[in-house]
Amino acid sequence: MIEPNSFNNLFLYFIITENYATMDKEENLLKAINLLREIAAPYDSITTIKYLPAQGGSFADYPSEIHPKLVEALKKKGFQSLYSHQRLAWEKIQEGKNVVVVTPTASGKTLCYNLPVLDRILRDPSSRAIYLFPTKALSQDQRAELDEIIELLQEEVKIFTYDGDTPQDARKAIRSQGHIIITNPDMLHSGILPHHTKWIKLFENLKYIIIDELHNYRGVFGSHVANVIRRLKRIASFYGSKPQFILSTATIANPVDMAQKMIEEPVELIDQNGAPRAEKYFIFYTPPVVNPHLGIRRSYINETRRIASIFLRHNLQTIVFAQSRLLTEVLVTYLKEDIEKSLKDEGLIRGYRGGYLPTKRREIEKGLREGKILGVVSTNALELGIDIGTLDVAVLAGYPGTIASTWQRAGRAGRKTGKSAAVLVASSSPLDQFIVHHPDYFFSSPPEMALINPDNLSILVSHIQCAAFELPFEDGEKFGSVEISEILKFLEEEQMLHHTQNKWFWTSEAYPADGISLRSISSDNFVVVDITEKPKVIAEVDFSSALTTLHPKAIYICEGEQYFVEKFDYDQRKAYVKKTDVDYFTDAIDYTNVKILDVFDRKDIPQGWVSHGEVHVATQVVGFKKIKFHTMENVGAGELQLPQNEMSTTSFWLTIPAEIYQTLPFTSEQRINGLFGLSYVLHHVAPLFLMCDLHDLGVAIGDNFSGESVPPRELPGRKPTASERFQKILSPDFSPNIFLYDNFPGGIGLSPALFELQKILLEACLKTIETCPCEEGCPSCVGPVRESGEKAKQVAKALLQKLLFTGA
């Protein structure tokens, strides 16, 4: 017998035999976990194995007032009773309350809204409901769930999906006959609300609005959706209806605040989960360090491949989540080599992502449910709700970016009964490394806040235009909770509105909803044109992001495909790209000047202070770096000279007093290196608390004494000396400001949250640096040592200790 003394011959050793195929699944799972522990032990790669014991359910009888036919149908479907949270949701909804349901994956949130909606329709067939889902796949799955119940009901309840794929000839029937309209925010915004006169029956009888997966509606998208809801409520009111809202969300820190901002009405929280939970092992794994000096680790993609293969070879049905379409296909290829070729059995390993035809996706879902597919590699397309049966193991290639998404992906294994496992394989990013080295943080109370700013002026004005097109505004009328008389006067000056007889009428020939994307603040977007073959438009990029992602020679990634930017036409707002296949991505080097316009608030910390306010940001892209995938090494650079981009936004900033900074026992250059190291870790760790993307936050360093901004650490081209580069800021009075600003004009609510979380943020950054095993700095803490410079790690650590602890 071959001894499994390395990963390479491990694949030869663990080929599924008849023993593994017939052995008890739970026994196989424990054997696979023990094998993984043995292999990881020499490198301390497993940072934790968290055992989550099974929990019994808390059940409740069906309330007597529910329509008997509905109870009978649900019992036939297997729901012999309700979970306690479903019963509580029913009671609150019957009292006329809006509710937000916050329970884990597979806990029956769907029935919390299907139950009152179907009961109401059975009792009053004129009643109507709108279901909003963030993705087509999820809406299709929930439609299937409703269809099953209605088939058992044997009553005429008509459900229709209304989205971009709905045939034109079917739309008239849907408008007049549909009891439940399943749609998405984009279609509601551009396809339903502007045409409300065709939907009179829906709006006159609208009883319920369901908003599922609320935590997905955050940032710019969520701020837009909140304004779409303002428009929806305004039209419903015009037709004499006042619908109730039922919202559901994954576990976040601020569900009530988020829900109330979204609908601008009080909500009741339902968060005591009554659903049973099976046993689960949650394993945090970090790839071994292969270069301690540079802090470079093994590729997390290769480690994911090895770990998934261990479970697959133990005949355990496994789902692997990858962060992009490209990585999905790479892992499918690897796992097919490891599993299918050794077993000479094709079709055991499949990929699943957007871009596959619907028939192919349905075939894969069916194969998983029936157990014919042993392993599937997916993007986040399978993160939400879609029924793929009971899987044994979920392997996550990289931290998904939020704790909520991590739990949703992990929840795809063991959704019903029996032991299951989830493995999080960390990448080299500081966020991933913080999570795996601080498991208590992950498993304790939810720290993440979903944030929106519906009153962002640019977004608000866009939707006031849409609302005026839909219905004229009356003098003194508010839009949601916002006083808008000044905005209406501005739109009149722009010749979009006309004021007469105490009303504001839309006069422009433009159709405003068409020009407004729910995923960007400005409509002044850049178009990405693929010229690999016949020219075709493949994407739009908002103005503020275009200069850093579509500059000449950039690698633009769209749907997992890589494109090389051949030409950037600033005046025509176009970027021309060609498909490519390289092992790096590009990261723009920008020179950012931040000027403080107004200080909203300030708090003292032990040896310094933090502030929150309005800033003017002027950014010019001056170059770019080539960053290697997986290892995050800098493998090249180039010079650029693009137009300057300016905006006013909100910012959080940390101020280090001159007397603290200047007395650090390091050289001037080393102290500067430490500032860049500290800004790097602050920027990378902050998204942990905000459910936002790294690019949603900008970072810059300035001088609180002179107001000057600090130039980038490394400018392309000639290498100036430290004294040349930082001449203006090497004075004894230099008092650094590190800015983290909302990377959107007007802000979307990120920086005020950072201001409130400042102590937790600084502590998390210090922990990230202290637990990192590198010597001088690396991508997992203060940035690669070749970029951050000498002593960057030590200086950043010393600064944080000074700021957090009096006398440190």
Side-chain angles (χ1 to χ4, degrees):
M1 186 178 285
I2 301 169
E3 289 302 317
N5 56 6
S6 73
F7 271 117
N8 293 333
N9 58 27
L10 174 69
F11 295 149
L12 298 172
Y13 180 66
F14 281 103
I15 293 174
I16 300 174
T17 63
E18 285 301 315
N19 290 338
Y20 275 127
T22 57
M23 197 181 290
D24 180 76
K25 281 273 179 102
E26 294 191 3
E27 193 179 334
N28 274 357
L29 183 69
L30 294 175
K31 285 193 172 186
I33 290 171
N34 284 331
L35 178 62
L36 179 59
R37 290 173 76 163
E38 288 172 23
I39 291 167
Y43 310 101
D44 291 326
S45 287
I46 292 178
T47 59
T48 191
I49 297 182
K50 179 82 171 178
Y51 172 66
L52 303 169
Q55 284 183 355
S58 173
F59 301 93
D61 293 332
Y62 284 97
S64 58
E65 62 268 27
I66 297 178
H67 197 289
K69 283 191 174 181
L70 181 54
V71 174
E72 185 185 344
L74 290 169
K75 285 185 174 179
K76 280 181 186 173
K77 199 172 182 306
F79 303 137
Q80 297 305 313
S81 59
L82 297 177
Y83 297 136
S84 56
H85 64 274
Q86 293 170 335
R87 171 77 186 241
L88 181 59
W90 165 269
E91 290 169 355
K92 295 294 182 187
I93 291 162
Q94 296 314 299
E95 292 170 12
K97 305 278 179 65
N98 302 307
V99 301
V100 57
V101 182
V102 188
T103 54
T105 305
S107 59
K109 285 194 283 277
T110 304
L111 197 57
C112 290
Y113 50 78
N114 282 344
L115 195 62
V117 169
L118 291 173
D119 179 76
R120 185 66 177 259
I121 293 168
L122 288 173
R123 295 183 184 283
D124 176 9
S126 67
S127 298
R128 298 290 185 265
I130 293 174
Y131 282 37
L132 282 181
F133 294 106
T135 67
K136 279 186 187 177
L138 185 57
S139 62
Q140 286 164 355
D141 199 59
Q142 299 301 336
R143 165 76 191 266
E145 172 83 7
L146 274 167
D147 285 341
E148 284 179 27
I149 298 172
I150 287 160
E151 192 177 334
L152 293 167
L153 269 175
Q154 295 184 332
E155 290 284 331
E156 199 170 359
V157 178
K158 294 187 176 176
I159 303 164
F160 294 105
T161 301
Y162 195 83
D163 58 25
D165 296 336
T166 305
Q168 288 293 334
D169 55 0
R171 295 187 177 194
K172 188 175 180 181
I174 291 171
R175 293 183 197 120
S176 60
Q177 298 173 25
H179 289 104
I180 297 173
I181 303 299
I182 297 173
T183 188
N184 55 64
D186 302 274
M187 196 64 181
L188 184 62
H189 156 64
S190 62
I192 296 178
L193 297 181
H195 309 290
H196 59 87
T197 53
K198 296 179 180 178
W199 293 86
I200 293 173
K201 202 162 186 178
L202 170 72
F203 288 113
E204 281 182 338
N205 299 284
L206 188 57
K207 307 300 181 191
Y208 294 109
I209 298 169
I210 312 304
I211 304 178
D212 198 22
E213 305 291 344
L214 175 67
H215 60 281
N216 279 289
Y217 302 120
R218 58 186 189 267
V220 171
F221 182 42
S223 302
H224 274 291
V225 172
N227 280 286
V228 173
I229 298 298
R230 284 170 168 168
R231 288 161 51 199
L232 171 57
K233 288 173 64 178
R234 185 169 177 259
I235 288 171
S237 176
F238 176 77
Y239 287 103
S241 64
K242 190 180 186 306
Q244 267 177 273
F245 286 86
I246 307 172
L247 308 99
S248 78
T249 176
T251 306
I252 54 176
N254 62 333
V256 173
D257 175 64
M258 174 68 171
Q260 291 182 163
K261 271 191 176 174
M262 183 62 67
I263 69 170
E264 294 185 302
E265 291 182 27
V267 299
E268 291 276 333
L269 176 65
I270 310 288
D271 64 349
Q272 295 302 310
N273 178 31
R277 184 184 75 191
E279 294 174 74
K280 186 184 288 290
Y281 294 88
F282 211 132
I283 301 164
F284 283 2
Y285 181 98
T286 184
V289 174
V290 293
N291 185 327
H293 180 69
L294 298 177
I296 294 172
R297 297 176 180 273
R298 276 187 197 160
S299 160
Y300 79 100
I301 294 299
N302 285 335
E303 296 299 286
T304 299
R305 168 191 186 175
R306 290 164 173 161
I307 290 165
S309 291
I310 290 173
F311 290 108
L312 290 165
R313 290 177 186 282
H314 280 78
N315 198 32
L316 295 164
Q317 206 175 16
T318 301
I319 182 167
V320 179
F321 282 103
Q323 301 288 61
S324 70
R325 293 184 177 193
L326 179 67
L327 294 179
T328 298
E329 298 301 344
V330 168
L331 280 165
V332 168
T333 305
Y334 286 167
L335 292 172
K336 278 183 175 289
E337 283 177 14
D338 297 341
I339 305 301
E340 290 186 358
K341 287 187 179 177
S342 60
L343 295 175
K344 296 182 172 57
D345 188 355
E346 292 186 5
L348 282 177
I349 308 298
R350 301 293 292 271
Y352 186 103
R353 58 172 176 80
Y356 287 3
L357 293 173
T359 50
K360 189 173 183 179
R361 291 204 298 269
R362 300 296 90 78
E363 175 209 329
I364 294 166
E365 291 162 19
K366 186 168 182 277
L368 284 165
R369 285 195 297 271
E370 295 174 353
K372 292 176 182 175
I373 294 173
L374 183 63
V376 63
V377 185
S378 174
T379 57
N380 63 354
L382 280 177
E383 179 181 314
L384 301 175
I386 299 157
D387 181 16
I388 52 174
T390 306
L391 306 182
D392 302 306
V393 181
V395 180
L396 284 61
Y399 178 59
T402 69
I403 291 174
S405 286
T406 307
W407 278 115
Q408 285 195 298
R409 294 183 187 189
R412 296 320 309 246
R415 285 168 65 88
K416 293 172 186 171
T417 56
K419 287 187 177 73
S420 66
V423 185
L424 172 60
V425 184
S427 75
S428 294
S429 85
L431 199 54
D432 287 42
Q433 290 299 314
F434 180 86
I435 288 290
V436 295
H437 284 104
H438 300 91
D440 291 344
Y441 179 88
F442 180 87
F443 291 107
S444 62
S445 60
E448 298 173 323
M449 293 192 291
L451 300 166
I452 58 173
N453 179 17
D455 300 338
N456 174 292
L457 192 58
S458 298
I459 293 173
L460 184 66
V461 169
S462 296
H463 288 278
I464 288 172
Q465 291 175 50
C466 295
F469 174 88
E470 290 152 6
L471 290 170
F473 279 101
E474 295 184 4
D475 282 350
E477 182 182 347
K478 289 185 174 181
F479 185 56
S481 58
V482 183
E483 164 57 52
I484 59 168
S485 57
E486 292 301 315
I487 295 173
L488 296 175
K489 288 174 187 173
F490 165 76
L491 292 174
E492 185 182 35
E493 289 169 11
E494 295 293 309
Q495 298 184 328
M496 292 182 181
L497 298 182
H498 176 64
H499 185 232
T500 182
Q501 296 180 335
N502 301 322
K503 288 188 177 181
W504 300 83
F505 292 88
W506 181 259
T507 56
S508 170
E509 291 182 6
Y511 175 67
D514 255 3
I516 296 164
S517 164
L518 298 189
R519 284 160 180 80
S520 64
I521 283 186
S522 168
S523 57
D524 189 14
N525 293 343
F526 279 75
V527 175
V528 184
V529 183
D530 179 9
I531 55 171
T532 310
E533 295 170 355
K534 188 180 176 183
K536 60 178 180 178
V537 175
I538 57 169
E540 276 192 38
V541 176
D542 62 275
F543 182 87
S544 57
S545 302
L547 298 172
T548 54
T549 57
L550 292 174
H551 58 76
K553 300 179 184 175
I555 299 298
Y556 176 68
I557 301 177
C558 177
E559 304 284 11
E561 295 279 356
Q562 294 173 302
Y563 298 87
F564 180 81
V565 179
E566 296 273 343
K567 182 185 175 187
F568 181 68
D569 189 334
Y570 181 84
D571 295 330
Q572 295 298 315
R573 302 290 194 262
K574 288 182 180 178
Y576 298 91
V577 301
K578 281 187 177 178
K579 281 189 179 180
T580 187
D581 184 15
V582 292
D583 64 348
Y584 67 88
F585 61 94
T586 48
D587 186 18
I589 302 170
D590 53 46
Y591 192 169
T592 300
N593 281 286
V594 178
K595 183 181 179 183
I596 299 167
L597 300 177
D598 191 8
V599 180
F600 300 153
D601 206 349
R602 171 183 150 156
K603 283 182 187 173
D604 288 333
I605 54 177
Q607 297 201 51
W609 61 91
V610 294
S611 308
H612 165 237
E614 185 179 2
V615 295
H616 178 266
V617 179
T619 302
Q620 185 171 23
V621 175
V622 293
F624 65 93
K625 297 177 286 188
K626 297 177 180 179
I627 308 295
K628 194 168 184 179
F629 281 120
H630 314 315
T631 64
M632 305 295 281
E633 293 173 270
N634 185 344
V635 292
E639 291 184 65
L640 295 167
Q641 202 67 33
L642 296 180
Q644 187 168 271
N645 183 32
E646 298 185 32
M647 68 174 174
S648 290
T649 185
T650 56
S651 181
F652 156 84
W653 63 94
L654 166 69
T655 304
I656 304 165
E659 58 270 23
I660 298 294
Y661 177 76
Q662 303 292 353
T663 54
L664 290 172
F666 299 95
T667 67
S668 296
E669 171 120 13
Q670 289 167 350
R671 288 200 292 270
I672 291 290
N673 295 342
L675 276 182
F676 281 101
L678 179 53
S679 67
Y680 178 95
V681 72
L682 279 166
H683 187 207
H684 283 74
V685 171
L688 184 66
F689 306 96
L690 303 177
M691 295 186 81
C692 74
D693 188 76
L694 189 68
H695 300 293
D696 293 341
L697 283 170
V699 63
I701 303 172
D703 180 5
N704 194 58
F705 176 73
S706 67
E708 295 281 348
S709 289
V710 177
R713 175 71 182 75
E714 281 192 23
L715 289 167
R718 187 180 71 85
K719 297 275 185 185
T721 65
S723 57
E724 285 178 321
R725 257 200 339 264
F726 305 117
Q727 188 175 7
K728 290 181 180 177
I729 58 167
L730 290 176
S731 76
D733 299 311
F734 177 51
S735 174
N737 283 330
I738 299 179
F739 296 92
L740 288 176
Y741 57 87
D742 290 36
N743 220 349
F744 304 94
I748 53 169
L750 303 179
S751 52
L754 286 177
F755 179 74
E756 297 301 326
L757 290 165
Q758 42 82 20
K759 188 171 187 290
I760 300 171
L761 173 63
L762 295 178
E763 287 171 348
C765 290
L766 182 58
K767 286 178 184 174
T768 300
I769 294 172
E770 288 177 337
T771 55
C772 189
C774 73
E775 295 169 13
E776 292 288 326
C778 72
S780 299
C781 59
V782 297
V785 65
R786 288 172 184 156
E787 291 178 47
S788 52
E790 185 187 20
K791 298 290 183 185
K793 184 175 184 179
Q794 290 82 348
V795 175
K797 181 179 173 182
L799 282 169
L800 285 167
Q801 288 173 334
K802 289 268 188 188
L803 291 166
L804 283 165
F805 307 114
T806 306

